[in-house]
Amino acid sequence: MPAHDRITLRFLASPQDTATGGSTVAAGRVLEWIDKAGYACAVGWSASYCVTAYVGNVHFTRPIASGDMIEAHARIIQTGRTSMQVLVTVQAADVRSREFTPATHCILVFVAVDAEGSPHAVEQWRPETPGDRMLNERAVERLAPRRAIRDAMQAQVYSAEGSTPRTVFRFLAAPADANYGGNAHGGTVLRWIDETAFACAASHSSENAIAVYSGGIHFYRPIRIGHIVEVEARLIHTGERSMHIAIHVRSGSPLAPGALELTTQCMSIFVDPEEGRAKRVPPLPLLTEEDRRLDAHAEELIRMRAELEAIPLG
């Protein structure tokens, strides 16, 4: 019998997947692929509709070209009462050589829901091999640090007192964005996040800016089709060659446009490549108390992420 705890999707990257400039695939599109593979795996295990609750530590380790063959592998590595942690790895290969090399990997959390949208219990997954047990241990170890990172991000206040670069996109969630539950696809929300963050990064560096990391992506509530969506990206910290951008997604009824609720938040890191390496970026002026507080917050998140054990992929 086929295993129900893993799945592999294989397809070609298309010209429509590329970022500005048209040479490599946009990070937002890769995030969509990750969510699609993870979702298919979670549904296969739970035999029910699922919603994305979390996407963590997505490191984009190599560019993907239009026309590359893509393999997105997803496997269950831990289950709770209603939740599933899914490890997704994305590999890419030239269609002529078919030699796949890793492009990114991350852990996603999905929650199984019933026809009314309420969480319901899933079958418990049990590791069977030493590799399974190692992945399961790493997944369990990340539960507490993930909550700590979430709490640290939720504790921050973003107000008009901040003076650093900020980009806001505002639009309606369209019927084409709908998942099976009538809400916006998690992968679509990830693409909106990447597009807005790119616009913010490009305003500080150049249109060549690319994402190298996205993490701490927590989904708090669904986005209904037909509702207003507001995606705000704010540059809060710069390293010598990196730009750290906090993104918040809010949504609500068009009948009450002033009462939008937070649906998703995360942090993304962009660089501006030049001749194969990240070039120096202008330092971020920290003019207000809020600027300095958020800059320190970004540095604290860097420290917290560095303490996480690496996921064994071999």
Side-chain angles (χ1 to χ4, degrees):
M1 293 180 59
H4 295 292
D5 64 347
R6 62 197 66 197
I7 193 170
T8 298
L9 305 182
R10 178 179 277 196
F11 50 91
L12 294 179
S14 71
Q16 290 75 28
D17 296 326
T18 56
T20 301
S23 60
T24 60
V25 171
R29 189 66 73 191
V30 179
L31 290 169
E32 283 191 293
W33 297 342
I34 288 169
D35 184 72
K36 183 177 293 186
Y39 175 81
C41 183
V43 168
W45 180 258
S46 65
S48 70
Y49 173 63
C50 299
V51 295
T52 311
Y54 170 83
V55 181
N57 286 4
V58 188
H59 292 272
F60 300 100
T61 56
R62 58 150 287 187
I64 297 174
S66 173
D68 276 358
M69 185 177 292
I70 308 300
E71 282 192 348
H73 308 274
R75 58 182 297 184
I76 303 288
I77 60 172
Q78 189 266 342
T79 54
R81 191 179 69 83
T82 64
S83 64
M84 296 152 284
Q85 291 201 63
V86 181
L87 173 63
V88 177
T89 60
V90 176
Q91 300 185 97
D94 184 283
V95 293
R96 291 159 295 189
S97 69
R98 301 202 176 189
E99 295 178 1
F100 286 92
T101 57
T104 188
H105 70 273
C106 68
I107 291 177
L108 298 88
V109 177
F110 291 89
V111 175
V113 296
D114 58 24
E116 285 70 46
S118 299
H120 80 90
V122 300
E123 178 185 354
Q124 294 304 293
W125 179 81
R126 293 177 175 82
E128 297 181 352
T129 68
D132 288 348
R133 286 189 284 274
M134 178 64 75
L135 288 171
N136 181 253
E137 290 170 5
R138 290 288 185 269
V140 172
E141 288 170 357
R142 285 170 176 258
L143 293 173
R146 183 186 303 152
R147 286 192 290 269
I149 290 172
R150 178 202 61 197
D151 293 346
M153 294 174 70
Q154 286 182 330
Q156 298 306 310
V157 175
Y158 291 76
S159 73
E161 296 300 315
S163 69
T164 56
R166 174 176 173 263
T167 298
V168 178
F169 287 176
R170 192 177 245 233
F171 48 89
L172 292 178
D177 301 323
N179 60 20
Y180 293 107
N183 302 314
H185 281 287
T188 301
V189 178
L190 294 173
R191 175 167 52 81
W192 294 340
I193 285 171
D194 178 68
E195 290 170 350
T196 312
F198 163 76
C200 184
S203 72
H204 188 72
S205 57
S206 80
E207 62 180 13
N208 295 321
I210 59 171
V212 294
Y213 170 87
S214 191
I217 309 173
H218 288 89
F219 294 82
Y220 301 121
R221 52 177 54 86
I223 296 175
R224 301 295 299 175
I225 299 306
H227 276 197
I228 293 172
V229 179
E230 181 180 272
V231 188
E232 177 184 0
R234 186 183 296 190
L235 179 61
I236 65 171
H237 172 76
T238 54
E240 184 179 356
R241 302 176 189 273
S242 61
M243 296 167 282
H244 299 241
I245 299 173
I247 305 101
H248 295 80
V249 184
R250 302 176 180 87
S251 183
S253 170
L255 301 178
L260 303 184
E261 294 184 304
L262 181 67
T263 70
T264 316
Q265 73 177 60
C266 74
M267 186 75 68
S268 292
I269 301 175
F270 279 71
V271 300
D272 197 346
E274 184 178 59
E275 297 181 354
R277 63 170 299 183
K279 68 180 183 181
R280 295 177 185 272
V281 298
L284 184 65
L286 305 176
L287 305 180
T288 71
E289 187 280 330
E290 181 167 311
D291 294 344
R292 292 184 286 274
R293 171 174 51 78
L294 292 177
D295 178 76
H297 167 59
E299 292 188 329
E300 176 66 6
L301 291 180
I302 294 170
R303 183 194 64 77
M304 295 172 77
R305 290 197 304 267
E307 293 177 352
L308 294 173
E309 290 271 5
I311 298 293
L313 301 177

